[in-house]
Amino acid sequence: MSEIAGLEPRLVWEQFDAITQVPRPSKKEGRIIDFLVAFAKEHQLEYKKDGVGNVVIRKPATPGFEERPAVILQSHMDMVCEKNSDVEFDFDNDPIRAYIADGWVRAEGTTLGADCGIGMAAALAVLIDPQAQHGPLEALFTVDEETGLTGAFELGEGMLQGKYLLNLDSEDEGELFIGCAGGIDTIATFTCSMEEAPKNYSFFRVDVSDLLGGHSGDDIDKGRVNSNKTVARLLWGGMQSCELRLSYFSGGNLRNAIPREAYAIFGVPTRLKKDFEKRYELFAADLEAEFRLREPNFRITLNEMPQVAEVLDARSQFALIYSLVGVPNGVVAMSAAVPGLVETSTNLASVKFAGENKIVVTSSQRSSVESAKTYVMQMVESVFALAGADVVHSDGYPGWTPDPQSRLLAVTADAYRRLFGTEPKVRAIHAGLECGLFLEKYPDLERCRSGLRCVAFTRPTSGSKSPPFPSSGSCSTKCCGRCSRRRLEFRVLQGAAPGFFRIFACSVKSFSYAEKPPLSSLCPLRMPGGGPDFRRRILPFCRVRGAPAHAGARFGAVLSRRAGGSRPVRFRLGVHPAAGGFAAARTAVRCGGRHGRRGAGAVPLFSGAARTGSRGTRGTGPGHDG
């Protein structure tokens, strides 16, 4: 066992530690399948494995809960396998080298596999927790979620007996997902011919770049500009006014990404060169004005080229450019069931000259309503078919229509409120999830996707007791590399009724790095000073249910500060007794360094402030910023 096995809740972390020792790349899940089967046998639990390797482990209800409906806890076995270029690591054979830093579980130079290893660990822990009271349980572990949703697509008949399914694959704390989009790809192939470039033509290359891009599901509602559509607009205008002839077009790459860059090589008659350049300047100025609020870094450039040898034949050029301009792109419809959710969309993903006189245009369509997905696919196909292209579609995957009245949602949200004293955010996502696929074979299934509420603490420093924490999970994240950590010790001086403790702290936050904490989890706080690159927030560090409230009770938190900061950090503690209402416990805080050295004297909460540099050992190691 590694050091992470000693974290609390111990049962969850012991399972996660064991999972990290088993290689489990996508499409190579044989060892983790054997691990799950051995787990079931060791604990004398019923299990079943289907033809593609999915495993379900069943546990009967505890006494008195036999009449409760069966609940399915679902996660996937495989992990994303990425490593730093300077790290020697074989994902097919080597165990993940997990360690603890600044209260977070991390991996040495590789991905940790918390997606969805921590979901697997939570399910396994519930199956063997002697104190858990529950109805019939099923833990479903699917294969190859990351690269093809293979396990969900090919889930065997008779694998599931329960009606209620909780997907444990969410990375969003405090959010419950009740719907997702289905998707299908449309590939249009133009057969064209090239001909000798006309004489007395001047040739140019136009580049569109530095767009924000993003995921074609999650980011499609943000108004991101599509580089393929932008280049096509310029070409269309040139065809109308300046006898433009196209030689080459390339834009986008991934089918599920909004394209950020595209370019085209084309020519106009030399006699119209000056006129075209003027028109281009006006067009570029119009685009900058049109995009200025959506694409602050947008760039379009025009550079003259040497004479090219070939251009696209006129018929193929007309068909390609007119279809690229005319094909729908972006949000098609918003959901009537979930306010603010995109229901249906389409993304013009890539345009490629594929050799052998072929031009391949790839687009992707999404919708949480199956009939609407079919319709938007038909819209896209119709445009390209009218242009003479051969159009084919991928197999696609189904959506999951949101049901805000779901009983499972009501029960899950109520449990969340009771455990954490706050309202969960109920959402649907405009992207594909395994949940949508299960409905095809199990149409009566109710589903909810939940992230694990988590507080991950290192072992206590010498001389202090390990505080009790709720049975939760863990997170791992990237860091800006400029953080400093402080361990705060909260000590109750005068007891209150045992109940629900909420610890808050605030610090100057930098949001300049790539992995931004979700703003939805932060509350605005006004503090004087600071430049425009900083935002202030009250950040909830942990919520401990049933924490000891007697005099002298202690529990800890980890406070993040920018390195070198000296601004006071204010904090407060609220106690929500089980009987209801609000009571303030008299408390004190000592602010010390990472190595346990105590800081200045105790400071009363609610009104006090402590400086993180106060006599403590400054921590400089990287970690999650907040």
Side-chain angles (χ1 to χ4, degrees):
M1 288 188 180
S2 72
E3 60 177 338
I4 69 173
L7 296 171
E8 295 292 343
R10 194 179 187 98
L11 205 56
V12 173
W13 287 107
E14 286 176 346
Q15 303 311 313
F16 183 70
D17 179 58
I19 289 168
T20 64
Q21 305 306 299
V22 183
R24 50 192 179 97
S26 299
K27 294 183 170 41
K28 299 179 180 180
E29 296 95 341
R31 295 187 188 182
I32 193 66
I33 292 171
D34 293 342
F35 169 87
L36 293 170
V37 170
F39 177 93
K41 291 179 178 179
E42 177 185 354
H43 297 283
Q44 298 180 341
L45 297 171
E46 177 189 352
Y47 75 92
K48 186 175 182 178
K49 184 173 69 170
D50 66 13
V52 294
N54 298 318
V55 175
V56 63
I57 302 176
R58 300 189 178 99
K59 184 179 182 182
T62 52
F65 290 80
E66 293 86 355
E67 300 304 316
R68 300 291 179 92
V71 173
I72 306 159
L73 304 176
Q74 187 264 322
S75 54
H76 64 84
M77 307 178 201
D78 59 321
M79 64 173 282
V80 174
C81 298
E82 295 288 343
K83 69 180 186 68
N84 295 340
S85 58
D86 59 346
V87 173
E88 291 291 332
F89 193 88
D90 180 2
F91 281 101
D92 290 346
N93 297 292
D94 296 342
I96 299 296
R97 299 188 289 266
Y99 69 99
I100 300 169
D102 300 318
W104 294 89
V105 175
R106 306 178 181 280
E108 295 180 7
T110 69
T111 44
L112 176 63
D115 173 11
C116 184
I118 196 65
M120 294 179 66
L124 294 176
V126 171
L127 289 173
I128 61 174
D129 186 350
Q131 298 180 353
Q133 293 181 312
H134 54 77
L137 284 180
E138 295 179 292
L140 172 64
F141 307 93
T142 54
V143 298
D144 192 28
E145 186 270 350
E146 298 290 356
T147 62
L149 299 174
T150 304
F153 267 115
E154 301 184 27
L155 182 64
E157 297 292 339
M159 288 288 283
L160 301 181
Q161 298 174 358
K163 178 182 178 181
Y164 298 100
L165 184 144
L166 280 172
N167 173 281
L168 304 179
D169 191 25
S170 176
E171 66 276 10
D172 302 284
E173 183 180 340
E175 297 185 347
L176 303 177
F177 288 84
I178 61 169
C180 72
I184 192 167
D185 297 337
T186 300
I187 300 94
T189 302
F190 291 86
T191 301
C192 60
S193 60
M194 303 297 290
E195 58 189 35
E196 184 180 357
K199 305 299 183 182
N200 300 317
Y201 260 59
S202 297
F203 284 85
F204 298 89
R205 169 169 167 157
V206 64
D207 286 80
V208 169
S209 63
D210 294 354
L211 298 176
L212 292 173
H215 189 271
S216 63
D218 286 347
D219 298 316
I220 201 71
D221 62 334
K222 296 179 174 61
R224 304 281 172 83
V225 172
N226 185 301
S227 59
N228 294 326
K229 297 286 282 187
T230 305
V231 170
R233 286 173 63 177
L234 173 69
L235 300 177
W236 192 95
M239 288 174 63
Q240 311 310 308
S241 59
C242 295
E243 302 174 26
L244 180 146
R245 298 300 304 273
L246 177 64
S247 179
Y248 192 78
F249 191 125
S250 179
N253 287 297
L254 300 177
R255 61 167 184 79
N256 61 349
I258 300 171
R260 300 175 60 248
E261 299 179 346
Y263 74 92
I265 299 172
F266 59 89
V268 298
T270 302
R271 59 184 169 82
L272 298 176
K273 176 182 175 183
K274 296 296 184 183
D275 181 42
F276 174 80
E277 290 175 336
K278 291 179 181 179
R279 290 176 181 273
Y280 164 78
E281 294 296 335
L282 292 173
F283 177 77
D286 286 344
L287 290 185
E288 289 178 3
E290 179 182 335
F291 299 158
R292 65 185 181 86
L293 298 180
R294 294 184 288 158
E295 295 283 357
N297 301 316
F298 165 74
R299 287 189 65 204
I300 183 169
T301 58
L302 184 71
N303 295 288
E304 195 163 355
M305 296 276 295
Q307 176 81 16
V308 301
E310 294 181 322
V311 296
L312 203 61
D313 71 276
R315 180 192 61 83
S316 299
Q317 174 180 305
F318 180 91
L320 175 65
I321 295 177
Y322 270 62
S323 62
L324 293 179
V325 171
V327 72
N329 181 77
V331 176
V332 175
M334 300 297 291
S335 172
V338 180
L341 171 69
V342 177
E343 177 195 272
T344 307
S345 73
T346 179
N347 175 55
L348 181 59
S350 68
V351 181
K352 300 293 182 184
F353 275 52
E356 298 183 0
N357 298 328
K358 302 289 184 183
I359 304 171
V360 179
V361 181
T362 301
S363 65
S364 61
Q365 291 77 54
R366 301 176 186 267
S367 182
S368 53
V369 177
E370 194 67 15
S371 59
K373 183 188 76 175
T374 301
Y375 179 47
V376 71
M377 174 267 289
Q378 293 167 345
M379 293 167 60
V380 173
E381 177 179 352
S382 297
V383 172
F384 288 123
L386 285 170
D390 295 321
V391 183
V392 297
H393 305 283
S394 66
D395 291 335
Y397 51 91
W400 168 19
T401 304
D403 179 11
Q405 308 305 317
S406 163
R407 181 173 184 271
L408 178 59
L409 172 62
V411 171
T412 305
D414 181 66
Y416 190 94
R417 283 189 291 268
R418 285 187 287 107
L419 284 171
F420 304 114
T422 187
E423 193 74 22
K425 186 175 181 180
V426 178
R427 293 187 55 200
I429 187 171
H430 193 60
L433 300 175
E434 288 180 297
C435 299
L437 292 163
F438 298 139
L439 191 62
E440 287 190 317
K441 294 184 179 179
Y442 299 90
D444 295 328
L445 199 64
E446 285 197 32
R447 296 140 296 164
C448 186
R449 183 178 188 241
S450 174
L452 294 172
R453 186 74 182 206
C454 55
V455 183
F457 279 81
T458 56
R459 291 174 178 169
T461 54
S462 177
S464 63
K465 295 181 179 179
S466 176
F469 293 107
S471 295
S472 314
S474 164
C475 293
S476 176
T477 185
K478 297 178 181 177
C479 169
C480 65
R482 297 179 293 177
C483 309
S484 177
R485 286 291 186 276
R486 289 293 171 272
R487 179 176 297 283
L488 299 184
E489 179 189 86
F490 292 86
R491 181 163 57 90
V492 179
L493 300 184
Q494 177 177 320
F500 187 89
F501 284 70
R502 299 181 70 186
I503 307 168
F504 294 87
C506 63
S507 63
V508 178
K509 305 286 297 177
S510 170
F511 283 73
S512 60
Y513 54 99
E515 292 291 325
K516 301 181 182 179
L519 291 177
S520 60
S521 67
L522 309 179
C523 306
L525 173 70
R526 292 183 178 179
M527 289 179 62
D533 293 335
F534 300 99
R535 300 179 184 180
R536 284 89 178 145
R537 295 291 187 267
I538 295 177
L539 181 61
F541 280 94
C542 66
R543 295 172 172 86
V544 184
R545 182 175 183 269
H550 59 275
R554 299 178 180 182
F555 50 100
V558 177
L559 176 63
S560 171
R561 286 283 295 163
R562 282 178 59 86
S566 60
R567 194 179 298 277
V569 178
R570 302 182 183 276
F571 28 77
R572 58 191 174 89
L573 174 68
V575 183
H576 298 256
F582 177 87
R586 286 181 56 198
T587 56
V589 61
R590 296 183 183 275
C591 185
R594 289 176 60 195
H595 303 291
R597 291 173 56 184
R598 298 294 173 85
V603 182
L605 266 64
F606 299 106
S607 60
R611 296 184 181 273
T612 58
S614 177
R615 301 172 73 181
T617 304
R618 183 177 300 278
T620 57
H624 179 257
D625 194 15

